[in-house]
Amino acid sequence: MLTRRQFLRMSAVAGAGLFVPWGGIGCSNVETSGGPLDPTIVPKYVMPLIIPPAMPRTGTIVQQESEPIDYYEIAVRQFTQQILPTDMPMTTVWSYGSINHPSTFNYPAFTIEAEFNRPVRVKWVNDLKDADGKFLHHLLPVDPTLHWANPPGGTAGRDMHPAFMRTPGPYTGPIPIVIHLHGGHNAQESDGYPEAWYLPAANNIPSGFASEGTWYEFFKTEFFNKRGVTWEPGTATFQYENNQDAATLWYHDHTLGMTRLNVYAGPAGFYLLRGGDRDLLPNGVLPGPAPALGDPPGAKYYEIPIAIQDRSFNTNGSLFYPDSRAFFDGFGGPYIPGSDVPPIWNPEFFGNTMVANGRTWPFLEVEPRRYRFRFLNGCNSRFLILKLVTNPLATRPATPALPFWQIGAEGGFLPAPVMFDQLLIAPAERADVIVDFTGLPVGTEIYFINEGPDEPFGGGVPGVDFDPANPDTTGQVMLFQVVPLTASDQSTPPDQLVLPSFTPLGLATNTRQVSLNEESSTFPGFDGPIEADLGTLDGAGNPIPMGWDEDITENLTLNTIEVWEIYNFTEDAHPIHIHEVQFQVVSREEVDEDGDIRGPEPGETGFKDTVIAYPGEITRVKALFDLPGLYVWHCHILEHEDNEMMRPYFIGPNPPAL
Ligand SMILES: [Cu+2]
């Protein structure tokens, strides 16, 4: 299904006489998939929302003179799950689970419950193998022409942009993975650097393939030197110190040039950090509990994490993801040689079906009381504008029926609760929210809808600056059905809630300018996007776009507070994520105008790790960079991140040559 913008692009291409029917460049799963599934035939609100239980631990490591370590052994595996309603086919997905508890494999993954200052250590196992120990193929079409992990390149050609003489088909070899705890104050060896991936320890890895990324061995040695633990083949063990504010974090794959596909296939889960001063309410009580280890069956939860994702399916239930550039804008080639357009990669992807916690359009029975929801936008490209309404098909913009009270963002609590009629959440952002259903009659139906666009977001207002998402499909997310109250609500009304005291960062000692850029094709008659770049600025304020493997330009002094001025020279908004830190949003200002400087939006007044950089604007964020080493910053539109919109940065002296 084409969005308006895609249609316009396709028309333009066709009008230029360049539209070449898709000829196919290799294996495609279209023949066996039954073709794309029409989302309007998927019944809505027939399956309950799954509330991910707490991830069981493998054990506890007792240390002398310091806190014990919660230890997990978590694998990525392939399995089938009922994502579409039960009378429709099941879907093959990947996700995480505890290898000591085989029933815990679920998409999205079970929630890791972590405690302030008590480390979590995870042995992350790449178990993308079959029962015979042979590697599994990717579920989705991998474009091998990007700058990506590239295991077939061997140790000399891994993590590079491979050269092809002709257009190749999708990569069908073993799958590299590496896990990133998003928002974590992670030491470099535990951060999931995109070139620290590893293949499964399968018995048929083709000879000549690299089985680990460029940086795996370096971080493996570093982890051994620090912790005395050796990474076995097909695994990496990371440790999270949890020495940061209580927050809604999440974990997901971060492999170079494949993150869009590895995450779309399923692997992602919440990581909820609790405790410490920044989880201590001076008065009042938040809605709870959340799922905990050892809960009896049927336990009731009033704190619920909800991951919202867009997906498309084939009629056989399999996940659909485009296998050609032609899906995006009709450009059917030439690819290699002949043009600079990647043959399979799409500049953005918008699914036509909404999934919450691994089910399409689920419902949740709620009592007439307050709930705490931790929303995650887990979409690849889609910005969400969420609203609570009584009529899901109401003309957009719809009239809100209930407000959201936002109490936290990515890095923890806001200074004070903020009431919103609608909630804008960019990919990878989180919103910690109270919704008050108190007083609603039993049987009331509150629909959770989305008025963000079915196309790239550039800021602005639904219905004025862009068409809201299709009210029949991606314009709906889930349903809250009011059922009888089972016990009185002891939580504090959000307008009376005092949140933990907030201490802003001090003055910055350095300010740096960075840029966001889009590269267009130079193929005659076609100027579609072929990659997005980060970069710096020259003395005259012009962008200097830079690719992933250019020398490090962001080299910071350890323990300094810096302001980053993010200049967006593109036409779209990009959610920019900086690893290792939680930052404060300082201000926004138009690049070309002298004038208005806006402060942070009301929901941006706490600590964040991902910020919306609007087109044509400078977005300023401030952070304390207090861990040494090699990290990344990047756009969290996964299709952008995978095709050059990511850069390494280094904290401390002597950055490595890359
Ligand atoms: Cu981007």
Side-chain angles (χ1 to χ4, degrees):
M1 187 177 294
L2 293 173
T3 67
R4 182 176 57 89
R5 179 173 150 144
Q6 285 169 348
F7 177 76
L8 290 172
R9 282 183 179 165
M10 181 176 264
S11 308
V13 170
L18 269 171
F19 183 70
V20 180
W22 177 244
I25 52 159
C27 80
S28 154
N29 62 359
V30 171
E31 288 81 1
T32 51
S33 68
L37 176 69
D38 175 0
T40 63
I41 68 165
V42 179
K44 296 184 181 71
Y45 314 125
V46 294
M47 289 195 303
L49 180 85
I50 298 285
I51 301 171
M55 181 74 83
R57 293 177 188 133
T58 298
T60 303
I61 300 169
V62 179
Q63 314 182 97
Q64 287 186 344
E65 296 171 15
S66 55
E67 281 286 304
I69 298 171
D70 292 331
Y71 180 62
Y72 297 82
E73 292 181 350
I74 297 175
V76 184
R77 286 185 185 155
Q78 178 170 308
F79 52 93
T80 57
Q81 185 171 317
Q82 195 74 52
I83 296 172
L84 294 161
T86 41
D87 56 348
M88 301 185 81
M90 297 183 58
T91 303
T92 301
V93 290
W94 298 346
S95 192
Y96 306 105
S98 168
I99 61 174
N100 324 102
H101 308 81
S103 63
T104 59
F105 284 81
N106 190 69
Y107 155 66
F110 284 19
T111 300
I112 296 179
E113 281 283 344
E115 228 177 282
F116 178 70
N117 263 345
R118 179 179 167 115
V120 163
R121 183 181 293 176
V122 185
K123 180 206 250 186
W124 296 106
V125 181
N126 184 343
D127 223 353
L128 294 172
K129 299 182 290 188
D130 66 16
D132 297 325
K134 301 197 181 329
F135 68 81
L136 294 169
H137 302 273
H138 213 294
L139 299 174
L140 308 162
V142 179
D143 191 329
T145 73
L146 302 184
H147 188 160
W148 71 297
N150 192 33
T155 50
R158 61 188 169 183
D159 300 309
M160 287 192 187
H161 218 140
F164 287 93
M165 302 303 289
R166 56 181 290 275
T167 301
Y171 169 74
T172 55
I175 310 305
I177 67 161
V178 63
I179 288 83
H180 171 57
L181 173 60
H182 184 122
H185 187 230
N186 308 329
Q188 60 168 352
E189 71 278 3
S190 294
D191 194 51
Y193 193 71
E195 295 185 358
W197 51 265
Y198 44 101
L199 299 182
N203 58 27
N204 63 336
I205 302 297
S207 69
F209 273 47
S211 53
E212 302 111 23
T214 309
W215 281 87
Y216 179 91
E217 195 65 34
F218 179 87
F219 291 134
K220 174 181 171 177
T221 302
E222 178 126 329
F223 196 86
F224 179 81
N225 291 342
K226 271 194 192 176
R227 314 278 175 206
V229 172
T230 301
W231 295 357
E232 299 153 23
T235 77
T237 301
F238 294 163
Q239 184 159 318
Y240 311 112
E241 298 305 316
N242 297 317
N243 53 1
Q244 65 189 97
D245 291 355
T248 308
L249 311 180
W250 64 300
Y251 57 103
H252 63 78
D253 193 80
H254 215 303
T255 306
L256 186 69
M258 296 181 66
T259 297
R260 71 194 182 289
L261 304 167
N262 286 3
V263 172
Y264 189 86
F270 283 95
Y271 182 113
L272 302 181
L273 176 57
R274 301 178 193 273
D277 289 350
R278 284 278 293 148
D279 203 17
L280 207 61
L281 269 59
N283 71 26
V285 176
L286 293 173
L293 290 175
D295 281 349
K300 293 199 179 301
Y301 302 116
Y302 304 105
E303 182 200 320
I304 299 172
I306 301 180
I308 302 166
Q309 298 178 302
D310 57 344
R311 293 290 183 266
S312 292
F313 297 87
N314 294 301
T315 54
N316 69 356
S318 61
L319 287 169
F320 170 87
Y321 189 89
D323 64 357
S324 83
R325 168 66 184 226
F327 178 85
F328 179 75
D329 56 12
F331 185 80
Y335 299 117
I336 302 171
S339 83
D340 52 5
V341 183
I344 302 176
W345 174 80
N346 276 220
E348 287 96 20
F349 176 69
F350 292 84
N352 58 21
T353 305
M354 295 308 281
V355 172
N357 285 356
R359 283 189 163 171
T360 56
W361 294 296
F363 69 86
L364 176 68
E365 291 183 344
V366 293
E367 298 176 29
R369 50 159 294 151
R370 287 174 282 278
Y371 282 74
R372 179 182 184 185
F373 296 117
R374 307 207 197 209
F375 297 126
L376 161 69
N377 180 340
C379 300
N380 279 26
S381 291
R382 179 183 292 275
F383 286 63
L384 299 166
I385 298 176
L386 303 168
K387 208 179 252 187
L388 295 164
V389 303
T390 51
N391 175 7
L393 296 172
T395 305
R396 276 30 172 182
T399 306
L402 282 181
F404 301 101
W405 285 87
Q406 187 176 357
I407 56 171
E410 293 91 81
F413 287 109
L414 303 180
V418 190
M419 193 184 80
F420 289 106
D421 280 341
Q422 60 183 34
L423 210 53
L424 167 65
I425 315 186
E429 285 189 318
R430 286 87 73 201
D432 194 349
V433 165
I434 294 172
V435 176
D436 193 348
F437 299 99
T438 302
L440 293 182
V442 169
T444 302
E445 296 188 324
I446 299 290
Y447 292 86
F448 191 31
I449 66 161
N450 167 41
E451 294 184 345
D454 284 326
E455 60 182 9
F457 179 69
V461 176
V464 176
D465 300 294
F466 54 85
D467 290 339
N470 184 343
D472 285 328
T473 54
T474 48
Q476 299 185 42
V477 179
M478 58 180 284
L479 166 64
F480 297 105
Q481 287 172 324
V482 179
V483 297
L485 190 68
T486 60
S488 70
D489 185 357
Q490 301 300 314
S491 72
T492 308
D495 60 341
Q496 295 166 29
L497 200 57
V498 179
L499 295 175
S501 71
F502 180 84
T503 309
L505 291 168
L507 287 177
T509 53
N510 189 39
T511 298
R512 69 177 64 238
Q513 285 84 35
V514 295
S515 62
L516 316 182
N517 311 282
E518 190 171 284
E519 301 296 313
S520 297
S521 174
T522 57
F523 184 67
F526 179 70
D527 64 355
I530 55 165
E531 69 177 52
D533 289 332
L534 302 176
T536 56
L537 282 83
D538 67 16
N542 299 308
I544 306 175
M546 304 182 92
W548 164 247
D549 64 355
E550 292 184 62
D551 285 347
I552 286 174
T553 43
E554 285 70 59
N555 182 198
L556 290 70
T557 304
L558 182 62
N559 292 322
T560 53
I561 295 175
E562 287 207 355
V563 168
W564 286 27
E565 298 185 329
I566 304 165
Y567 284 68
N568 184 350
F569 293 105
T570 79
E571 293 176 11
D572 298 323
H574 300 264
I576 300 300
H577 173 41
I578 306 175
H579 284 216
E580 198 260 57
V581 297
Q582 290 288 341
F583 51 70
Q584 281 186 273
V585 178
V586 177
S587 64
R588 291 188 177 88
E589 178 181 4
E590 284 186 35
V591 172
D592 294 329
E593 307 282 322
D594 287 334
D596 293 353
I597 298 182
R598 313 195 305 281
E601 299 294 325
E604 296 179 325
T605 49
F607 284 106
K608 289 174 61 64
D609 56 43
T610 306
V611 68
I612 301 175
Y614 289 97
E617 289 195 347
I618 309 163
T619 301
R620 295 186 182 86
V621 299
K622 179 163 79 169
L624 168 63
F625 295 84
D626 63 351
L627 292 174
L630 183 63
Y631 294 93
V632 297
W633 66 287
H634 61 89
C635 177
H636 222 286
I637 291 176
L638 301 183
E639 283 73 19
H640 294 184
E641 164 180 359
D642 273 351
N643 192 4
E644 302 291 349
M645 206 169 192
M646 179 163 67
R647 289 276 294 152
Y649 83 94
F650 192 79
I651 304 166
N654 307 316
L658 298 172

